[in-house]
Amino acid sequence: MFTTTGSRGLYKAPLSKGLLLVLNCLTVMLNLLPQYQELFVYNLQAVAQQHQVWSLLFGRVICLDVKDAFCSSLLIYNFRIFERRFGTRKFASFLFGTWVLSALMDFLLAQAFQLLFDYEVEELPAGLLAPVFSLFVPFYRLIPRMPVTQVLGHIHITNKSLVYIVGLQLLTSSPFMWLLALSGLISGGLYHSNFLWVQKLLFVPAWVSCIGRYILEPLFSTSQPSSETPVGMGATLDIQRQQRMDILDQQLLLAQYNESTRNTRPQPQPGFLQWTRLFPSLRQRVPNRPPVQPPPQAEAQPSTQSPLLDNSPVAEEQVALLVEMGFTRTDALEALRASNNDINMATNFLLQH
């Protein structure tokens, strides 16, 4: 279910790949060499009173707990779709901005907790945890939900359910992980909404992006996957997963398309996640185009296929859903008839034609 938020592995996501490889390797090394772990402990008192800056820098990047590293790696792999959609520089700017904001929020929340409950928070879980939690903000607001199945007939399971479950597992892994989660969500909301123009203050400069493009990106870039059809049972499963992943990628584009069509006068807004600047309209449709006339039966060639589906019944609920997405009723009817009332196949057909 993780892979339904994006396709083709880590293709066009070098920053996500670099974070996964480097941070996990450092976590493994520190667990093999425990005598060096004290240098990477995220100690708030050491930072505030003894001015140990390395405790702030290293303690908020590298995980010391293997379970935290595993859960955060799953989430980074899932959130790589944002790097594909918005570009590596904007994705890095979001992580950098939320890292700085969450560092400030950590101290504010720790002081508030001490004032309310008279308990001093000394250490917090180490790792790139707050920026990972901050990515739940654009994940919640921008990724559309797609129903997958139901449990007990009442509980709906969507393509986003497992991501939230892993986030909940990470949230309950340590006693004060909730403080980092709250700090990350607040900082993610502030940066995503461009509160006080924070996106203009905290961003990755262009020269740093150029250095990364020419030095680091060749090390962590992933080649484009082959389009050849593999053979075997595993290949069949890979094809099925690929189809489901592509559907959600198209749903993400469709959400942006609906956003642009609802706004009659879109105003350009500076910020990190600008859908109208990053993605133009998916296509221009003629709302009242004449229907395609079928060829005369005298010229039709004999075929063994089933007859035309022009008169096949179509569920009005699915037609209305496609019309709400921005397609015309004629196109929706054609797509549903061609896909035998399969809403996912119809959406895929409309997006590709």
Side-chain angles (χ1 to χ4, degrees):
M1 197 177 300
F2 274 96
T3 53
T4 57
T5 57
S7 58
R8 300 173 183 174
L10 291 167
Y11 177 60
K12 291 185 178 180
L15 179 59
S16 300
K17 183 178 180 180
L19 291 175
L20 291 174
L21 292 178
V22 175
L23 297 184
N24 285 299
C25 288
L26 291 175
T27 299
V28 173
M29 291 176 58
L30 289 176
N31 280 271
L32 295 177
L33 302 172
Q35 63 270 21
Y36 298 103
Q37 289 188 2
E38 61 181 9
L39 298 176
F40 298 89
V41 174
Y42 185 22
N43 192 318
L44 296 178
Q45 300 303 320
V47 175
Q49 299 177 4
Q50 303 176 13
H51 305 289
Q52 296 181 2
V53 182
W54 65 85
S55 180
L56 178 65
L57 297 178
F58 297 151
R60 304 191 77 250
V61 175
I62 304 172
C63 289
L64 299 179
D65 192 333
V66 177
K67 181 174 64 175
D68 293 346
F70 177 74
C71 292
S72 60
S73 297
L74 288 178
L75 294 174
I76 291 174
Y77 180 77
N78 177 77
F79 293 145
R80 75 198 185 281
I81 187 175
F82 295 119
E83 183 176 3
R84 284 206 198 110
R85 294 304 181 194
F86 310 129
T88 301
R89 183 187 175 188
K90 288 191 175 183
F91 184 69
S93 298
F94 185 88
L95 292 179
F96 171 71
T98 54
W99 189 92
V100 175
L101 292 176
S102 59
L104 299 176
M105 294 303 303
D106 289 347
F107 289 93
L108 294 179
L109 292 176
Q111 291 296 325
F113 187 81
Q114 181 178 1
L115 292 176
L116 293 175
F117 301 99
D118 195 19
Y119 183 87
E120 186 177 10
V121 180
E122 296 184 359
E123 294 184 3
L124 291 176
L128 195 70
L129 300 174
V132 171
F133 279 112
S134 68
L135 286 169
F136 276 99
V137 175
F139 180 75
Y140 173 78
R141 298 187 61 181
L142 302 178
I143 302 297
R145 291 186 302 172
M146 188 170 63
V148 176
T149 185
Q150 290 185 355
V151 178
L152 301 177
H154 299 284
I155 303 176
H156 295 274
I157 303 298
T158 67
N159 57 308
K160 302 168 69 173
S161 299
L162 188 56
V163 181
Y164 290 128
I165 291 175
V166 175
L168 183 62
Q169 174 64 36
L170 182 62
L171 177 64
T172 58
S173 62
S174 301
F176 285 101
M177 184 66 74
W178 64 268
L179 193 146
L180 289 177
L182 182 59
S183 173
L185 293 176
I186 294 175
S187 60
L190 294 176
Y191 197 91
H192 181 71
S193 60
N194 197 19
F195 181 74
L196 296 179
W197 301 280
V198 66
Q199 295 179 12
K200 294 184 178 181
L201 301 175
L202 302 175
F203 63 93
V204 175
W207 63 271
V208 176
S209 178
C210 292
I211 294 176
R213 183 181 301 112
Y214 290 106
I215 298 179
L216 299 179
E217 186 172 348
L219 299 176
F220 301 112
S221 61
T222 302
S223 59
Q224 185 174 3
S226 175
S227 58
E228 297 179 358
T229 303
V231 181
M233 179 64 71
T236 303
L237 296 177
D238 289 338
I239 292 174
Q240 293 176 356
R241 284 198 297 267
Q242 179 80 17
Q243 293 173 349
R244 293 180 61 83
M245 292 186 289
D246 290 338
I247 288 175
L248 188 56
D249 279 344
Q250 294 160 0
Q251 291 286 340
L252 184 60
L253 289 173
L254 185 60
Q256 181 268 333
Y257 177 78
N258 294 333
E259 181 78 15
S260 62
T261 55
R262 281 195 297 266
N263 299 326
T264 57
R265 291 186 177 180
Q267 299 293 332
Q269 298 179 359
F272 170 63
L273 301 177
Q274 298 184 28
W275 286 84
T276 56
R277 291 179 58 188
L278 291 173
F279 305 110
S281 299
L282 294 179
R283 60 176 176 173
Q284 299 294 333
R285 287 179 169 267
V286 180
N288 297 321
R289 65 178 185 179
V292 179
Q293 297 295 335
Q297 295 184 357
E299 300 178 0
Q301 298 294 332
S303 174
T304 58
Q305 297 179 354
S306 59
L308 296 176
L309 298 176
D310 290 343
N311 297 326
S312 59
V314 177
E316 285 297 328
E317 294 81 2
Q318 296 180 348
V319 176
L321 180 60
L322 292 176
V323 171
E324 291 178 358
M325 291 181 180
F327 304 110
T328 63
R329 180 176 178 82
T330 302
D331 293 333
L333 290 173
E334 292 178 0
L336 288 172
R337 286 167 181 164
S339 60
N340 197 18
N341 288 329
D342 191 319
I343 187 66
N344 292 329
M345 293 179 61
T347 305
N348 189 18
F349 175 81
L350 290 171
L351 289 171
Q352 293 180 355
H353 294 80

